[in-house]
Amino acid sequence: MAKLSRQAFIAKLAPTVQHVRREGSPIFPSVRLAQNILETGCVIHPWNNLGGIKVGSGSPNAYWRGGVVYKGTWEVYDGKRVDIQAAFRAYDTLYDFYMDQDRLFRMPRYERVRRAMTPELQAEMLQACGYATDPSYARKLIAIIREAGLRVYDELEEEWTVSEKQAMEARLQQLEQRVQQLEQAHDSAVPPWAQGVVEAAVKQGLIETPVRGSYDFYRMLAVVHRSQTQAASRASDR
């Protein structure tokens, strides 16, 4: 996928970002757009992951359906940059990515992000809450917000009437209840046949503990583990 100019990248994403904000997202559009620019370098990949969200220990849900992309990235540990290979979530649409990211931001860990009253403070809270290991993460986001004039996107293009807000809140409650039902339906303990696979995945850093997921999630891990084992075996035979 070709790299877009910053202006074209923002123009492509802004309508969806503002739409998600109107649906109740706690993230300022300016912060979200700055994060997308920083995380992708203005490239929209086919897997639509604009925020570096790894597979982690989460189960597939209404927005992330279990798709995975393996690619190189880097983290900062003890002040040193470390290049790694990691499993990232792949999404069907940009909207799905934003909605799944908002599920992450609803976790207690990100309460300070949700409560931030300005884009700059929200950027600082993203770093403080551990969204990224880059010690300059907040500074970079704030610089992009100011350089690109992104705060203009925080001003919603249309006002909502009281009835529209009430209808939207009711719809959001219905959707949240549905998501919870789906998660409960897919959330199960590790089956005996998958114990070894899960342990290997945890050691490789592909997922975190505690581990709970659907049958398809464990089956996916088994396929990935088998593929990696076969590849390692072939490499050792050379």
Side-chain angles (χ1 to χ4, degrees):
M1 196 73 180
K3 178 178 180 179
L4 301 175
S5 68
R6 180 176 285 188
Q7 183 177 7
F9 184 80
I10 293 171
K12 177 74 173 178
L13 300 181
T16 304
V17 169
Q18 289 184 305
H19 176 70
V20 172
R21 176 68 166 174
R22 286 194 291 269
E23 287 190 334
S25 172
I27 306 302
F28 285 101
S30 60
V31 174
R32 183 153 252 163
L33 289 168
Q35 184 183 67
N36 296 161
I37 291 170
L38 179 60
E39 295 279 358
T40 69
C42 294
V43 176
I44 302 177
H45 293 286
W47 50 87
N48 293 315
N49 189 333
L50 303 177
I53 298 182
K54 297 183 178 65
V55 170
S57 59
S59 303
N61 55 64
Y63 305 110
W64 175 56
R65 296 169 179 81
V68 180
V69 170
Y70 296 91
K71 67 185 189 74
T73 186
W74 59 272
E75 303 288 353
V76 176
Y77 300 116
D78 297 326
K80 296 181 180 179
R81 171 171 167 155
V82 178
D83 294 324
I84 63 172
Q85 287 287 323
F88 293 86
R89 298 189 180 194
Y91 298 94
D92 294 341
T93 67
L94 296 175
Y95 178 80
D96 285 343
F97 160 72
Y98 289 130
M99 295 301 286
D100 191 46
Q101 189 181 42
D102 277 353
R103 291 180 69 258
L104 175 68
F105 289 138
R106 284 199 294 270
M107 296 175 62
R109 169 182 174 181
Y110 291 103
E111 179 182 1
R112 288 180 291 172
V113 172
R114 297 193 300 272
R115 294 176 59 185
M117 300 301 293
T118 67
E120 290 79 8
L121 181 57
Q122 192 165 76
E124 293 174 358
M125 291 302 100
L126 279 171
Q127 181 173 331
C129 293
Y131 187 88
T133 59
D134 181 358
S136 300
Y137 195 74
R139 178 178 58 79
K140 292 176 181 177
L141 291 180
I142 293 171
I144 293 172
I145 290 171
R146 293 173 177 172
E147 291 167 3
L150 296 179
R151 291 198 64 160
V152 67
Y153 295 98
D154 296 334
E155 302 173 3
L156 299 184
E157 296 178 353
E158 57 184 345
E159 293 293 332
W160 291 78
T161 65
V162 173
S163 60
E164 286 175 332
K165 289 181 180 179
Q166 291 175 341
M168 182 57 67
E169 290 174 355
R171 179 57 177 160
L172 285 173
Q173 290 179 354
Q174 293 175 353
L175 289 174
E176 289 177 354
Q177 291 174 356
R178 179 55 179 161
V179 169
Q180 291 175 359
Q181 291 172 355
L182 289 172
E183 290 177 341
Q184 291 173 357
H186 288 286
D187 197 22
S188 61
V190 180
W193 59 265
Q195 288 288 348
V197 172
V198 169
E199 291 174 2
V202 170
K203 290 180 180 179
Q204 294 171 3
L206 298 179
I207 59 175
E208 301 173 350
T209 54
V211 181
R212 295 186 69 84
S214 67
Y215 180 89
D216 288 339
F217 175 72
Y218 296 121
R219 186 170 59 181
M220 176 190 70
L221 280 181
V223 171
V224 171
H225 178 67
R226 182 166 60 250
S227 176
Q228 291 180 336
T229 301
Q230 291 173 348
S233 178
R234 287 194 296 268
S236 63
D237 292 338
R238 292 174 183 170

